[in-house]
Amino acid sequence: MDTVGTFEMAVVMSQHCLFTAIHKHYTLDDWKLFATKHPECLQHVAVSSGSGQNDLEKMSSILEAVPQVKFICLDVANGYSEHFVEFVKLVRARFPEHTIMAGNVVTGEMVEELILSGADIIKVGIGPGSVCTTRTKTGVGYPQLSAVIECADSAHGLKGHIISDGGCTCPGDVAKAFGAGADFVMLGGMFSGHTECAGEVIERNGQKLKLFYGMSSDTAMKKHVGGVAEYRASEGKTVEVPYKGDVENTILDILGGLRSTCTYVGAARLKELSRRATFIRVTQQHNTLFS
Amino acid sequence: MPHIDNDLKLDFKDVLLRPKRSTLKSRSEVDLTRSFSFRNSKQMYTGIPIIAANMDTVGTFEMAKVLCKFSLFTAVHKHYSLEQWKEFATQNPDCLEHLAASSGTGSSDFEQLEQILEAIPQVNYICLDVANGYSEHFVEFVKDVRKRFPQHTIMAGNVVTGEMVEELILSGADVIKVGIGPGKLVHSHAPSVASTCGAPFKSFLVTFLLGSVCTTRKKTGVGYPQLSAVMECADAAHGLKGHIISDGGCSCPGDVAKAFGAGADFVMLGGMLAGHTESGGEFIERDGNKYKLFYGMSSEMAMKKYAGGVAEYRASEGKTVEVPFKGDVEHTIRDILGGIRSTCTYVGAAKLRELSRRTTFIRVTQQVNPIFSAES
């Protein structure tokens, strides 16, 4: 997302061995400058692209100019279109040695299709994001925990991998995604509102805020494509989130939470978490007295 | 003998549509137009089958003017005079094929309907609307209207179960309105229909009270979860080559898509179209915020307006609310149509007609990530 997947974010993330899917709106020159200044980050970032021709050409030029970048993130709203499957094949043919992340989908058969078409890691999640309105605008979606469990099963059977993308609101959710079998967990909202995010800090009534929006929201469409096309509805919202300071603190909080989860279930490594995970269905997440 | 129906019945909020393989490249490739041939009137319909409800705040001539540009349909409320109808017909002849004239079962309603249809023969649709479509009186009324107007397409309701859909279709109705109490404000009760009150109910429905602001469910405990009602009624209607309207319960474009996915031929909207420039109802400005008044057709507000007050033997079954002013309805229409196009691409339906065949619903416990929902 253009607010979260920034170069500034990548610098901090890579210090903790975390990964950044850099948004697709940086220019080639931005990339070259970043690569020169922060060569140590490059193994922990991906170049993103939609399925359009312009996106593909720009991504190709970036990957040529910065060969240290080994990851490609192919991202469309609807990973179920045949057009996208063809696009994944095309990118695989052109970049045989890059690791391709592709999505989003929510069901096992489509995970398999994309892996067999050349993707390595499948992004799982339709509509769970905090600024995503796909579910209210279209009624389409899939509960994220079940999607992760089912898609992980399909992917692992083919020695593929998945990313749980969206729906995490707290470190506990990240732990649940890993527990459900996700190999990676992608975060948007939880990383929003930090110093490293794009956009200015807004001050209002003594409160500091930052803008955060979905990539199909009015805000994003106006910014990048000049508006919402007539035949479509915006499928994202725009919110002002409280400014949370440096992302470093949030990262430590998430990693600390995950470590704690692992000790609770007796997993010495993250790898063991899903094998040690037994989920209990509940009717209440936490005591609501003071929330 | 009291009986509890233990079969699970679902609402729109209980499900999501599962995405499916799709050969569509863009939402712009989706065709939302449908054509129907009606069982009893033998008439043809072509258009985008979304209907503005016959509430006096929504089913206005101003709304009809905009909706017909998008080939959407308007069930015009029954409180316009013959003169107003004539004036509208002269000024907007192109819109008339996308309109229905409404009536309750009262004799004054029916006389006015006759006058309107005689004066404006281009109006081919009749919307017969009572709160309780289960009354024998209503069935007789539908038969009478069918005899009087053999070639008009009759929409009739509201009901929520298959056997009553069949009864009304066999009595001469073409399109059955489905939904009791799912609306934000119950709108289907005509103030003048006193006769339904003493009429025998064919069935009482033990229902889940959903905590919605719909007051029929609160006041009477009668109702049926809308998604299940649509699925069951569509099945019954289609078996007889009849059609149904999912009436009420839609709170966002996704719900409209789910109604079509469940098998509705038409979807009728009230609340989603309220609060616009083209909506009826008073415009209110308070503390810099703009609102429009929106009320159910058996709310106290409506009953005072049209029947001089709430009769002693009955309770008001609708609410009056101030909805934030939303500007021109055109934007809302684009948003709804864009949403449904997107749904169709997700499930691989190139035409709206294919949507229900491509629909698999997943039961869910949560619709949306609630983190920022206060701001939306």
Side-chain angles (χ1 to χ4, degrees):
Chain A
M1 304 173 80
D2 65 358
T3 42
V4 175
T6 62
F7 285 140
E8 294 78 6
M9 187 69 78
V11 171
V12 186
M13 297 285 278
S14 71
Q15 286 163 7
H16 295 273
C17 286
L18 270 56
F19 197 91
T20 309
I22 303 288
H23 68 71
K24 67 178 187 182
H25 300 288
Y26 284 119
T27 64
L28 178 59
D29 290 335
D30 293 336
W31 269 95
K32 283 182 185 161
L33 188 69
F34 174 72
T36 331
K37 280 195 349 212
H38 298 283
E40 77 286 355
C41 286
L42 298 176
Q43 57 168 319
H44 295 295
V45 301
V47 184
S48 302
S49 166
S51 58
Q53 196 56 37
N54 292 349
D55 275 9
L56 178 62
E57 274 161 29
K58 184 159 119 187
M59 179 179 75
S60 303
S61 64
I62 293 166
L63 291 173
E64 248 166 57
V66 193
Q68 303 97 305
V69 174
K70 294 285 178 222
F71 291 86
I72 294 171
C73 180
L74 300 180
D75 193 358
V76 294
N78 177 13
Y80 285 80
S81 103
E82 281 307 305
H83 177 67
F84 183 61
V85 175
E86 292 308 313
F87 184 70
V88 170
K89 286 183 191 163
L90 177 84
V91 175
R92 172 49 70 214
R94 195 181 293 188
F95 301 101
E97 286 172 14
H98 281 73
T99 300
I100 299 177
M101 306 166 161
N104 283 23
V105 301
V106 285
T107 49
E109 92 285 359
M110 205 62 207
V111 167
E112 289 165 2
E113 174 78 16
L114 289 175
I115 290 174
L116 297 175
S117 302
D120 296 291
I121 315 175
I122 309 305
K123 278 175 76 192
V124 173
I126 290 184
S130 56
V131 284
C132 182
T133 57
T134 292
R135 291 184 184 174
T136 48
K137 286 291 163 74
T138 71
V140 175
Y142 208 93
Q144 185 68 1
L145 182 80
S146 296
V148 168
I149 292 174
E150 295 164 24
C151 292
D153 191 47
S154 295
H156 297 161
L158 292 173
K159 304 220 181 304
H161 296 85
I162 67 155
I163 303 172
S164 171
D165 177 16
C168 289
T169 62
C170 56
D173 290 343
V174 181
K176 289 175 193 171
F178 282 124
D183 304 292
F184 296 83
V185 176
M186 184 172 265
L187 302 176
M190 284 179 69
F191 283 138
S192 69
H194 293 93
T195 318
E196 294 78 4
C197 298
E200 296 304 307
V201 175
I202 309 159
E203 265 201 82
R204 183 172 318 127
N205 306 327
Q207 247 196 321
K208 288 183 177 173
L209 305 161
K210 273 195 116 163
L211 211 60
F212 178 51
Y213 46 84
M215 294 311 291
S216 309
S217 62
D218 280 352
T219 310
M221 287 206 259
K222 272 184 197 141
K223 194 166 168 183
H224 300 299
V225 293
V228 182
E230 285 232 331
Y231 60 85
R232 58 185 287 173
S234 101
E235 284 179 28
K237 56 177 126 180
T238 303
V239 292
E240 287 175 348
V241 295
Y243 174 60
K244 302 175 209 157
D246 294 348
V247 76
E248 173 102 26
N249 301 323
T250 301
I251 293 174
L252 294 177
D253 194 50
I254 295 170
L255 299 184
L258 272 177
R259 282 196 191 91
S260 182
T261 311
C262 287
T263 57
Y264 268 114
V265 301
R269 294 150 180 259
L270 184 58
K271 189 172 87 151
E272 294 164 21
L273 179 54
S274 73
R275 269 178 271 155
R276 313 245 350 148
T278 301
F279 289 109
I280 310 289
R281 272 200 74 182
V282 298
T283 52
Q284 180 175 293
Q285 280 288 315
H286 55 96
N287 187 321
T288 53
L289 192 52
F290 297 119
S291 61
Chain B
M1 174 82 182
H3 164 75
I4 294 184
D5 188 348
N6 275 319
D7 287 352
L8 184 70
K9 304 294 177 190
L10 300 174
D11 265 307
F12 295 134
K13 67 163 181 44
D14 300 320
V15 299
L16 287 170
L17 285 132
R18 181 191 191 278
K20 290 191 178 161
R21 307 277 305 255
S22 161
T23 52
L24 297 165
K25 282 182 191 152
S26 162
R27 296 166 179 84
S28 59
E29 292 173 21
V30 176
D31 180 8
L32 294 181
T33 308
R34 289 210 61 177
S35 294
F36 300 119
S37 160
F38 295 113
R39 179 187 195 270
N40 295 317
S41 71
K42 313 291 179 208
Q43 300 285 333
M44 287 290 295
Y45 163 90
T46 302
I48 297 179
I50 295 176
I51 306 177
N54 50 309
M55 311 168 73
D56 66 354
T57 42
V58 177
T60 62
F61 283 141
E62 292 76 20
M63 188 69 77
K65 273 187 232 172
V66 182
L67 261 55
C68 79
K69 274 193 255 164
F70 291 87
S71 76
L72 269 57
F73 198 91
T74 306
V76 175
H77 69 70
K78 65 178 189 179
H79 301 289
Y80 283 119
S81 67
L82 180 60
E83 297 314 309
Q84 285 171 306
W85 267 98
K86 281 182 184 162
E87 192 189 325
F88 179 81
T90 326
Q91 289 170 4
N92 303 280
D94 302 340
C95 279
L96 300 175
E97 57 167 322
H98 296 293
L99 291 190
S102 304
S103 167
T105 52
S107 53
S108 61
D109 271 12
F110 186 61
E111 276 162 29
Q112 195 186 334
L113 178 76
E114 281 183 313
Q115 289 171 359
I116 292 167
L117 294 178
E118 263 162 39
I120 312 164
Q122 302 97 307
V123 174
N124 284 317
Y125 295 85
I126 298 172
C127 180
L128 300 179
D129 194 358
V130 295
N132 175 16
Y134 286 82
S135 105
E136 279 307 314
H137 177 71
F138 183 60
V139 175
E140 291 309 314
F141 183 69
V142 169
K143 286 183 190 163
D144 290 346
V145 176
R146 171 49 70 214
K147 254 183 237 152
R148 174 75 185 74
F149 299 104
Q151 288 176 5
H152 281 71
T153 299
I154 299 177
M155 305 167 162
N158 282 22
V159 300
V160 284
T161 48
E163 91 286 357
M164 205 61 207
V165 167
E166 290 167 354
E167 172 81 16
L168 289 174
I169 290 174
L170 296 175
S171 302
D174 297 290
V175 194
I176 309 303
K177 279 175 75 188
V178 172
I180 291 187
K184 276 189 174 156
L185 317 127
V186 162
H187 59 264
S188 46
H189 212 311
S192 56
V193 189
S195 50
T196 55
C197 291
F201 277 65
K202 266 209 168 169
S203 62
F204 267 99
L205 309 161
V206 178
T207 182
F208 316 103
L209 285 172
L210 296 164
S212 84
V213 282
C214 155
T215 63
T216 285
R217 291 187 182 177
K218 274 192 189 163
K219 292 270 165 94
T220 70
V222 176
Y224 207 93
Q226 185 69 359
L227 182 82
S228 295
V230 168
M231 290 176 74
E232 295 164 23
C233 293
D235 193 45
H238 296 161
L240 292 174
K241 305 220 181 299
H243 296 88
I244 67 156
I245 303 172
S246 171
D247 178 18
C250 290
S251 60
C252 56
D255 290 345
V256 182
K258 289 173 192 172
F260 283 125
D265 303 294
F266 295 84
V267 176
M268 183 174 264
L269 302 177
M272 283 178 70
L273 298 179
H276 293 92
T277 318
E278 295 80 2
S279 313
E282 234 172 289
F283 186 83
I284 302 161
E285 223 174 321
R286 188 182 313 127
D287 309 325
N289 293 320
K290 294 174 180 172
Y291 302 93
K292 270 196 127 166
L293 222 52
F294 178 48
Y295 45 85
M297 292 312 292
S298 30
S299 63
E300 258 189 272
M301 177 71 112
M303 289 208 251
K304 272 187 193 147
K305 199 166 168 188
Y306 300 113
V310 182
E312 278 211 351
Y313 58 84
R314 57 185 293 176
S316 112
E317 285 180 27
K319 258 193 166 180
T320 303
V321 292
E322 290 171 3
V323 293
F325 179 60
K326 302 178 211 155
D328 295 348
V329 76
E330 184 167 341
H331 305 296
T332 301
I333 295 172
R334 281 189 211 286
D335 197 50
I336 296 170
L337 300 185
I340 300 171
R341 279 197 191 93
S342 182
T343 310
C344 287
T345 56
Y346 270 115
V347 301
K351 298 170 180 218
L352 183 58
R353 186 164 63 97
E354 295 164 16
L355 179 53
S356 73
R357 270 179 265 157
R358 311 265 320 166
T359 291
T360 302
F361 288 117
I362 309 289
R363 275 197 71 189
V364 301
T365 52
Q366 175 178 293
Q367 278 285 311
V368 289
N369 184 328
I371 266 218
F372 299 123
S373 40
E375 281 94 334
S376 75

